[in-house]
mmCIF file of all heavy atoms in Angstrom:
data_model
loop_
_atom_site.group_PDB
_atom_site.id
_atom_site.type_symbol
_atom_site.label_atom_id
_atom_site.label_comp_id
_atom_site.label_asym_id
_atom_site.label_seq_id
_atom_site.Cartn_x
_atom_site.Cartn_y
_atom_site.Cartn_z
ATOM 1 N N LEU A 219 0.857 -1.188 0.000
ATOM 2 C CA LEU A 219 0.000 0.000 0.000
ATOM 3 C C LEU A 219 0.893 1.237 0.000
ATOM 4 O O LEU A 219 1.803 1.360 0.816
ATOM 5 C CB LEU A 219 -0.893 -0.009 1.237
ATOM 6 C CG LEU A 219 -1.774 1.219 1.464
ATOM 7 C CD1 LEU A 219 -2.794 1.358 0.342
ATOM 8 C CD2 LEU A 219 -2.469 1.120 2.820
ATOM 9 N N VAL A 220 0.614 2.160 -0.912
ATOM 10 C CA VAL A 220 1.415 3.377 -1.022
ATOM 11 C C VAL A 220 0.493 4.541 -1.350
ATOM 12 O O VAL A 220 -0.560 4.357 -1.968
ATOM 13 C CB VAL A 220 2.508 3.207 -2.098
ATOM 14 C CG1 VAL A 220 1.898 2.991 -3.474
ATOM 15 C CG2 VAL A 220 3.499 4.349 -2.075
ATOM 16 N N GLN A 221 0.894 5.724 -0.947
ATOM 17 C CA GLN A 221 0.080 6.906 -1.237
ATOM 18 C C GLN A 221 0.371 7.417 -2.643
ATOM 19 O O GLN A 221 1.419 7.138 -3.233
ATOM 20 C CB GLN A 221 0.369 7.993 -0.211
ATOM 21 C CG GLN A 221 -0.131 7.656 1.186
ATOM 22 C CD GLN A 221 -0.005 8.826 2.150
ATOM 23 O OE1 GLN A 221 0.860 9.689 1.985
ATOM 24 N NE2 GLN A 221 -0.867 8.856 3.153
ATOM 25 N N VAL A 222 -0.557 8.195 -3.139
ATOM 26 C CA VAL A 222 -0.391 8.814 -4.452
ATOM 27 C C VAL A 222 0.939 9.573 -4.483
ATOM 28 O O VAL A 222 1.277 10.295 -3.544
ATOM 29 C CB VAL A 222 -1.555 9.761 -4.754
ATOM 30 C CG1 VAL A 222 -1.264 10.606 -5.986
ATOM 31 C CG2 VAL A 222 -2.834 8.980 -4.967
ATOM 32 N N GLY A 223 1.664 9.378 -5.567
ATOM 33 C CA GLY A 223 2.953 10.023 -5.718
ATOM 34 C C GLY A 223 4.114 9.239 -5.160
ATOM 35 O O GLY A 223 5.280 9.614 -5.357
ATOM 36 N N GLY A 224 3.812 8.157 -4.474
ATOM 37 C CA GLY A 224 4.866 7.344 -3.862
ATOM 38 C C GLY A 224 5.525 6.401 -4.848
ATOM 39 O O GLY A 224 5.220 6.405 -6.055
ATOM 40 N N SER A 225 6.413 5.578 -4.305
ATOM 41 C CA SER A 225 7.190 4.659 -5.127
ATOM 42 C C SER A 225 7.196 3.265 -4.515
ATOM 43 O O SER A 225 7.057 3.108 -3.299
ATOM 44 C CB SER A 225 8.641 5.149 -5.250
ATOM 45 O OG SER A 225 8.703 6.420 -5.844
ATOM 46 N N LEU A 226 7.361 2.290 -5.385
ATOM 47 C CA LEU A 226 7.540 0.901 -4.970
ATOM 48 C C LEU A 226 8.469 0.238 -5.966
ATOM 49 O O LEU A 226 8.504 0.619 -7.146
ATOM 50 C CB LEU A 226 6.214 0.136 -4.962
ATOM 51 C CG LEU A 226 5.259 0.296 -3.791
ATOM 52 C CD1 LEU A 226 3.970 -0.473 -4.079
ATOM 53 C CD2 LEU A 226 5.873 -0.180 -2.502
ATOM 54 N N ARG A 227 9.184 -0.786 -5.493
ATOM 55 C CA ARG A 227 9.979 -1.606 -6.405
ATOM 56 C C ARG A 227 9.539 -3.049 -6.270
ATOM 57 O O ARG A 227 9.615 -3.637 -5.185
ATOM 58 C CB ARG A 227 11.468 -1.486 -6.139
ATOM 59 C CG ARG A 227 12.285 -2.194 -7.226
ATOM 60 C CD ARG A 227 13.775 -2.017 -7.085
ATOM 61 N NE ARG A 227 14.363 -2.970 -6.154
ATOM 62 C CZ ARG A 227 15.630 -3.379 -6.218
ATOM 63 N NH1 ARG A 227 16.427 -2.900 -7.166
ATOM 64 N NH2 ARG A 227 16.096 -4.219 -5.323
ATOM 65 N N LEU A 228 9.083 -3.592 -7.384
ATOM 66 C CA LEU A 228 8.711 -4.996 -7.433
ATOM 67 C C LEU A 228 9.891 -5.834 -7.898
ATOM 68 O O LEU A 228 10.698 -5.382 -8.716
ATOM 69 C CB LEU A 228 7.538 -5.204 -8.394
ATOM 70 C CG LEU A 228 6.297 -4.349 -8.155
ATOM 71 C CD1 LEU A 228 5.206 -4.745 -9.158
ATOM 72 C CD2 LEU A 228 5.806 -4.470 -6.740
ATOM 73 N N SER A 229 9.968 -7.041 -7.375
ATOM 74 C CA SER A 229 10.991 -7.995 -7.788
ATOM 75 C C SER A 229 10.317 -9.284 -8.232
ATOM 76 O O SER A 229 9.222 -9.611 -7.780
ATOM 77 C CB SER A 229 11.954 -8.295 -6.641
ATOM 78 O OG SER A 229 12.621 -7.132 -6.209
ATOM 79 N N CYS A 230 11.004 -9.989 -9.094
ATOM 80 C CA CYS A 230 10.512 -11.278 -9.573
ATOM 81 C C CYS A 230 11.707 -12.218 -9.645
ATOM 82 O O CYS A 230 12.592 -12.043 -10.493
ATOM 83 C CB CYS A 230 9.852 -11.130 -10.930
ATOM 84 S SG CYS A 230 9.429 -12.690 -11.744
ATOM 85 N N ALA A 231 11.730 -13.209 -8.769
ATOM 86 C CA ALA A 231 12.818 -14.177 -8.736
ATOM 87 C C ALA A 231 12.462 -15.362 -9.626
ATOM 88 O O ALA A 231 11.380 -15.940 -9.486
ATOM 89 C CB ALA A 231 13.064 -14.645 -7.313
ATOM 90 N N ALA A 232 13.357 -15.703 -10.524
ATOM 91 C CA ALA A 232 13.100 -16.768 -11.483
ATOM 92 C C ALA A 232 13.999 -17.970 -11.242
ATOM 93 O O ALA A 232 15.158 -17.826 -10.830
ATOM 94 C CB ALA A 232 13.317 -16.242 -12.904
ATOM 95 N N SER A 233 13.454 -19.141 -11.552
ATOM 96 C CA SER A 233 14.234 -20.368 -11.463
ATOM 97 C C SER A 233 13.672 -21.384 -12.434
ATOM 98 O O SER A 233 12.532 -21.251 -12.886
ATOM 99 C CB SER A 233 14.206 -20.929 -10.030
ATOM 100 O OG SER A 233 12.886 -21.264 -9.653
ATOM 101 N N GLY A 234 14.468 -22.369 -12.786
ATOM 102 C CA GLY A 234 13.973 -23.469 -13.591
ATOM 103 C C GLY A 234 14.456 -23.515 -15.021
ATOM 104 O O GLY A 234 14.323 -24.542 -15.680
ATOM 105 N N ARG A 235 14.942 -22.400 -15.565
ATOM 106 C CA ARG A 235 15.571 -22.428 -16.871
ATOM 107 C C ARG A 235 16.509 -21.231 -16.932
ATOM 108 O O ARG A 235 16.479 -20.358 -16.064
ATOM 109 C CB ARG A 235 14.554 -22.397 -18.023
ATOM 110 C CG ARG A 235 13.822 -21.095 -18.228
ATOM 111 C CD ARG A 235 12.846 -21.188 -19.410
ATOM 112 N NE ARG A 235 12.132 -19.940 -19.583
ATOM 113 C CZ ARG A 235 11.132 -19.749 -20.429
ATOM 114 N NH1 ARG A 235 10.716 -20.754 -21.187
ATOM 115 N NH2 ARG A 235 10.535 -18.586 -20.539
ATOM 116 N N THR A 236 17.316 -21.174 -17.971
ATOM 117 C CA THR A 236 18.309 -20.103 -18.054
ATOM 118 C C THR A 236 17.616 -18.771 -18.248
ATOM 119 O O THR A 236 17.164 -18.435 -19.347
ATOM 120 C CB THR A 236 19.303 -20.377 -19.185
ATOM 121 O OG1 THR A 236 19.890 -21.662 -19.001
ATOM 122 C CG2 THR A 236 20.406 -19.315 -19.178
ATOM 123 N N PHE A 237 17.546 -18.024 -17.185
ATOM 124 C CA PHE A 237 16.808 -16.759 -17.137
ATOM 125 C C PHE A 237 17.263 -15.803 -18.233
ATOM 126 O O PHE A 237 16.430 -15.133 -18.875
ATOM 127 C CB PHE A 237 17.021 -16.151 -15.748
ATOM 128 C CG PHE A 237 16.407 -14.796 -15.538
ATOM 129 C CD1 PHE A 237 15.044 -14.664 -15.379
ATOM 130 C CD2 PHE A 237 17.206 -13.660 -15.462
ATOM 131 C CE1 PHE A 237 14.467 -13.415 -15.162
ATOM 132 C CE2 PHE A 237 16.648 -12.410 -15.243
ATOM 133 C CZ PHE A 237 15.271 -12.287 -15.087
ATOM 134 N N SER A 238 18.561 -15.741 -18.468
ATOM 135 C CA SER A 238 19.117 -14.736 -19.375
ATOM 136 C C SER A 238 18.789 -14.981 -20.838
ATOM 137 O O SER A 238 19.081 -14.123 -21.676
ATOM 138 C CB SER A 238 20.631 -14.665 -19.189
ATOM 139 O OG SER A 238 21.218 -15.926 -19.452
ATOM 140 N N ASN A 239 18.200 -16.099 -21.173
ATOM 141 C CA ASN A 239 17.887 -16.404 -22.566
ATOM 142 C C ASN A 239 16.480 -15.987 -23.007
ATOM 143 O O ASN A 239 16.103 -16.222 -24.160
ATOM 144 C CB ASN A 239 18.052 -17.892 -22.840
ATOM 145 C CG ASN A 239 19.509 -18.312 -22.910
ATOM 146 O OD1 ASN A 239 20.368 -17.537 -23.322
ATOM 147 N ND2 ASN A 239 19.793 -19.543 -22.520
ATOM 148 N N TYR A 240 15.715 -15.408 -22.090
ATOM 149 C CA TYR A 240 14.318 -15.097 -22.386
ATOM 150 C C TYR A 240 13.965 -13.670 -21.989
ATOM 151 O O TYR A 240 14.344 -13.214 -20.903
ATOM 152 C CB TYR A 240 13.396 -16.073 -21.655
ATOM 153 C CG TYR A 240 13.580 -17.500 -22.111
ATOM 154 C CD1 TYR A 240 14.555 -18.312 -21.554
ATOM 155 C CD2 TYR A 240 12.790 -18.015 -23.140
ATOM 156 C CE1 TYR A 240 14.757 -19.600 -21.994
ATOM 157 C CE2 TYR A 240 12.985 -19.320 -23.580
ATOM 158 C CZ TYR A 240 13.959 -20.098 -23.007
ATOM 159 O OH TYR A 240 14.143 -21.373 -23.456
ATOM 160 N N ALA A 241 13.238 -13.005 -22.885
ATOM 161 C CA ALA A 241 12.683 -11.707 -22.522
ATOM 162 C C ALA A 241 11.695 -11.889 -21.371
ATOM 163 O O ALA A 241 11.129 -12.965 -21.177
ATOM 164 C CB ALA A 241 11.984 -11.085 -23.723
ATOM 165 N N MET A 242 11.509 -10.813 -20.626
ATOM 166 C CA MET A 242 10.603 -10.840 -19.487
ATOM 167 C C MET A 242 9.654 -9.653 -19.550
ATOM 168 O O MET A 242 9.988 -8.603 -20.112
ATOM 169 C CB MET A 242 11.395 -10.777 -18.178
ATOM 170 C CG MET A 242 12.323 -11.947 -17.927
ATOM 171 S SD MET A 242 11.440 -13.483 -17.599
ATOM 172 C CE MET A 242 10.622 -13.103 -16.039
ATOM 173 N N GLY A 243 8.510 -9.821 -18.939
ATOM 174 C CA GLY A 243 7.537 -8.736 -18.944
ATOM 175 C C GLY A 243 6.821 -8.611 -17.611
ATOM 176 O O GLY A 243 6.818 -9.533 -16.791
ATOM 177 N N TRP A 244 6.259 -7.440 -17.415
ATOM 178 C CA TRP A 244 5.347 -7.180 -16.294
ATOM 179 C C TRP A 244 3.963 -6.890 -16.866
ATOM 180 O O TRP A 244 3.838 -6.138 -17.837
ATOM 181 C CB TRP A 244 5.804 -5.991 -15.467
ATOM 182 C CG TRP A 244 6.982 -6.249 -14.583
ATOM 183 C CD1 TRP A 244 8.288 -5.931 -14.834
ATOM 184 C CD2 TRP A 244 6.964 -6.878 -13.292
ATOM 185 N NE1 TRP A 244 9.077 -6.333 -13.786
ATOM 186 C CE2 TRP A 244 8.296 -6.902 -12.823
ATOM 187 C CE3 TRP A 244 5.964 -7.415 -12.476
ATOM 188 C CZ2 TRP A 244 8.653 -7.448 -11.591
ATOM 189 C CZ3 TRP A 244 6.309 -7.948 -11.260
ATOM 190 C CH2 TRP A 244 7.644 -7.968 -10.812
ATOM 191 N N PHE A 245 2.969 -7.472 -16.243
ATOM 192 C CA PHE A 245 1.573 -7.223 -16.562
ATOM 193 C C PHE A 245 0.869 -6.819 -15.275
ATOM 194 O O PHE A 245 1.387 -7.016 -14.183
ATOM 195 C CB PHE A 245 0.921 -8.483 -17.125
ATOM 196 C CG PHE A 245 1.393 -8.865 -18.509
ATOM 197 C CD1 PHE A 245 2.645 -9.428 -18.710
ATOM 198 C CD2 PHE A 245 0.573 -8.662 -19.612
ATOM 199 C CE1 PHE A 245 3.080 -9.780 -19.981
ATOM 200 C CE2 PHE A 245 0.991 -9.021 -20.887
ATOM 201 C CZ PHE A 245 2.241 -9.575 -21.066
ATOM 202 N N ARG A 246 -0.338 -6.294 -15.417
ATOM 203 C CA ARG A 246 -1.143 -6.000 -14.240
ATOM 204 C C ARG A 246 -2.612 -6.224 -14.557
ATOM 205 O O ARG A 246 -3.038 -6.161 -15.713
ATOM 206 C CB ARG A 246 -0.913 -4.573 -13.752
ATOM 207 C CG ARG A 246 -1.398 -3.486 -14.704
ATOM 208 C CD ARG A 246 -0.982 -2.105 -14.194
ATOM 209 N NE ARG A 246 -1.442 -1.031 -15.060
ATOM 210 C CZ ARG A 246 -1.120 0.251 -14.909
ATOM 211 N NH1 ARG A 246 -0.298 0.623 -13.894
ATOM 212 N NH2 ARG A 246 -1.571 1.169 -15.729
ATOM 213 N N GLN A 247 -3.362 -6.483 -13.495
ATOM 214 C CA GLN A 247 -4.792 -6.707 -13.655
ATOM 215 C C GLN A 247 -5.534 -6.064 -12.505
ATOM 216 O O GLN A 247 -5.326 -6.419 -11.339
ATOM 217 C CB GLN A 247 -5.112 -8.198 -13.727
ATOM 218 C CG GLN A 247 -6.541 -8.509 -14.079
ATOM 219 C CD GLN A 247 -6.736 -9.961 -14.466
ATOM 220 O OE1 GLN A 247 -5.922 -10.832 -14.168
ATOM 221 N NE2 GLN A 247 -7.822 -10.238 -15.158
ATOM 222 N N ALA A 248 -6.376 -5.103 -12.843
ATOM 223 C CA ALA A 248 -7.224 -4.432 -11.869
ATOM 224 C C ALA A 248 -8.555 -5.175 -11.775
ATOM 225 O O ALA A 248 -8.949 -5.871 -12.723
ATOM 226 C CB ALA A 248 -7.445 -2.988 -12.284
ATOM 227 N N PRO A 249 -9.265 -5.027 -10.665
ATOM 228 C CA PRO A 249 -10.545 -5.720 -10.502
ATOM 229 C C PRO A 249 -11.514 -5.390 -11.640
ATOM 230 O O PRO A 249 -11.703 -4.212 -11.986
ATOM 231 C CB PRO A 249 -11.060 -5.190 -9.169
ATOM 232 C CG PRO A 249 -9.839 -4.801 -8.418
ATOM 233 C CD PRO A 249 -8.884 -4.285 -9.445
ATOM 234 N N GLY A 250 -12.076 -6.423 -12.231
ATOM 235 C CA GLY A 250 -13.047 -6.228 -13.289
ATOM 236 C C GLY A 250 -12.472 -5.873 -14.646
ATOM 237 O O GLY A 250 -13.223 -5.607 -15.591
ATOM 238 N N LYS A 251 -11.155 -5.878 -14.745
ATOM 239 C CA LYS A 251 -10.517 -5.519 -16.011
ATOM 240 C C LYS A 251 -9.636 -6.660 -16.513
ATOM 241 O O LYS A 251 -9.271 -7.555 -15.760
ATOM 242 C CB LYS A 251 -9.666 -4.259 -15.835
ATOM 243 C CG LYS A 251 -10.468 -3.013 -15.501
ATOM 244 C CD LYS A 251 -9.593 -1.772 -15.532
ATOM 245 C CE LYS A 251 -10.409 -0.519 -15.293
ATOM 246 N NZ LYS A 251 -9.562 0.706 -15.351
ATOM 247 N N GLU A 252 -9.330 -6.593 -17.801
ATOM 248 C CA GLU A 252 -8.442 -7.602 -18.378
ATOM 249 C C GLU A 252 -6.996 -7.344 -17.961
ATOM 250 O O GLU A 252 -6.618 -6.217 -17.627
ATOM 251 C CB GLU A 252 -8.556 -7.578 -19.903
ATOM 252 C CG GLU A 252 -9.894 -8.053 -20.430
ATOM 253 C CD GLU A 252 -9.897 -8.196 -21.944
ATOM 254 O OE1 GLU A 252 -8.903 -7.829 -22.580
ATOM 255 O OE2 GLU A 252 -10.914 -8.694 -22.471
ATOM 256 N N ARG A 253 -6.214 -8.401 -18.015
ATOM 257 C CA ARG A 253 -4.795 -8.256 -17.726
ATOM 258 C C ARG A 253 -4.152 -7.422 -18.836
ATOM 259 O O ARG A 253 -4.383 -7.668 -20.020
ATOM 260 C CB ARG A 253 -4.130 -9.629 -17.629
ATOM 261 C CG ARG A 253 -2.720 -9.598 -17.094
ATOM 262 C CD ARG A 253 -2.230 -11.007 -16.766
ATOM 263 N NE ARG A 253 -3.043 -11.610 -15.710
ATOM 264 C CZ ARG A 253 -2.733 -12.750 -15.123
ATOM 265 N NH1 ARG A 253 -1.630 -13.409 -15.456
ATOM 266 N NH2 ARG A 253 -3.525 -13.252 -14.188
ATOM 267 N N GLU A 254 -3.360 -6.437 -18.447
ATOM 268 C CA GLU A 254 -2.736 -5.570 -19.423
ATOM 269 C C GLU A 254 -1.221 -5.575 -19.262
ATOM 270 O O GLU A 254 -0.688 -5.681 -18.148
ATOM 271 C CB GLU A 254 -3.271 -4.133 -19.315
ATOM 272 C CG GLU A 254 -2.928 -3.416 -18.025
ATOM 273 C CD GLU A 254 -3.272 -1.930 -18.062
ATOM 274 O OE1 GLU A 254 -3.628 -1.407 -19.129
ATOM 275 O OE2 GLU A 254 -3.163 -1.299 -16.990
ATOM 276 N N TRP A 255 -0.573 -5.423 -20.397
ATOM 277 C CA TRP A 255 0.884 -5.368 -20.417
ATOM 278 C C TRP A 255 1.353 -4.027 -19.875
ATOM 279 O O TRP A 255 0.768 -2.981 -20.175
ATOM 280 C CB TRP A 255 1.368 -5.569 -21.852
ATOM 281 C CG TRP A 255 2.821 -5.337 -22.049
ATOM 282 C CD1 TRP A 255 3.853 -6.137 -21.647
ATOM 283 C CD2 TRP A 255 3.423 -4.224 -22.708
ATOM 284 N NE1 TRP A 255 5.048 -5.588 -22.031
ATOM 285 C CE2 TRP A 255 4.821 -4.412 -22.683
ATOM 286 C CE3 TRP A 255 2.915 -3.079 -23.331
ATOM 287 C CZ2 TRP A 255 5.711 -3.517 -23.241
ATOM 288 C CZ3 TRP A 255 3.798 -2.177 -23.893
ATOM 289 C CH2 TRP A 255 5.182 -2.398 -23.838
ATOM 290 N N VAL A 256 2.431 -4.053 -19.096
ATOM 291 C CA VAL A 256 2.981 -2.848 -18.500
ATOM 292 C C VAL A 256 4.351 -2.507 -19.092
ATOM 293 O O VAL A 256 4.601 -1.373 -19.508
ATOM 294 C CB VAL A 256 3.113 -3.016 -16.967
ATOM 295 C CG1 VAL A 256 3.846 -1.829 -16.353
ATOM 296 C CG2 VAL A 256 1.742 -3.196 -16.340
ATOM 297 N N ALA A 257 5.234 -3.507 -19.120
ATOM 298 C CA ALA A 257 6.598 -3.259 -19.579
ATOM 299 C C ALA A 257 7.257 -4.578 -19.942
ATOM 300 O O ALA A 257 6.818 -5.645 -19.501
ATOM 301 C CB ALA A 257 7.406 -2.549 -18.500
ATOM 302 N N ALA A 258 8.318 -4.480 -20.732
ATOM 303 C CA ALA A 258 9.073 -5.671 -21.113
ATOM 304 C C ALA A 258 10.538 -5.306 -21.284
ATOM 305 O O ALA A 258 10.880 -4.153 -21.579
ATOM 306 C CB ALA A 258 8.519 -6.281 -22.399
ATOM 307 N N VAL A 259 11.371 -6.307 -21.098
ATOM 308 C CA VAL A 259 12.816 -6.117 -21.274
ATOM 309 C C VAL A 259 13.341 -7.286 -22.089
ATOM 310 O O VAL A 259 12.919 -8.432 -21.906
ATOM 311 C CB VAL A 259 13.525 -5.998 -19.905
ATOM 312 C CG1 VAL A 259 13.314 -7.233 -19.059
ATOM 313 C CG2 VAL A 259 15.007 -5.718 -20.076
ATOM 314 N N SER A 260 14.241 -6.994 -22.999
ATOM 315 C CA SER A 260 14.806 -8.036 -23.853
ATOM 316 C C SER A 260 15.660 -9.005 -23.033
ATOM 317 O O SER A 260 16.044 -8.721 -21.895
ATOM 318 C CB SER A 260 15.648 -7.400 -24.957
ATOM 319 O OG SER A 260 16.712 -6.644 -24.387
#
């Protein structure tokens, strides 16, 4: 929980295959809405 104008850093720990060989993305889903793409990194 953060106030308007604040900051957060999300982390995602990966395991099970060579992480560096695959692009990664962040998505988000608000209540009642479809999952939407936020960002991606090669």
Side-chain angles (χ1 to χ4, degrees):
L219 175 64
V220 63
Q221 291 188 333
V222 169
S225 300
L226 280 175
R227 188 175 84 153
L228 306 183
S229 299
C230 171
S233 62
R235 71 180 179 187
T236 305
F237 176 74
S238 59
N239 286 329
Y240 297 86
M242 297 291 295
W244 285 99
F245 290 74
R246 66 186 181 186
Q247 188 166 19
K251 295 188 176 181
E252 292 188 354
R253 190 169 297 189
E254 66 170 352
W255 171 73
V256 173
V259 59
S260 60

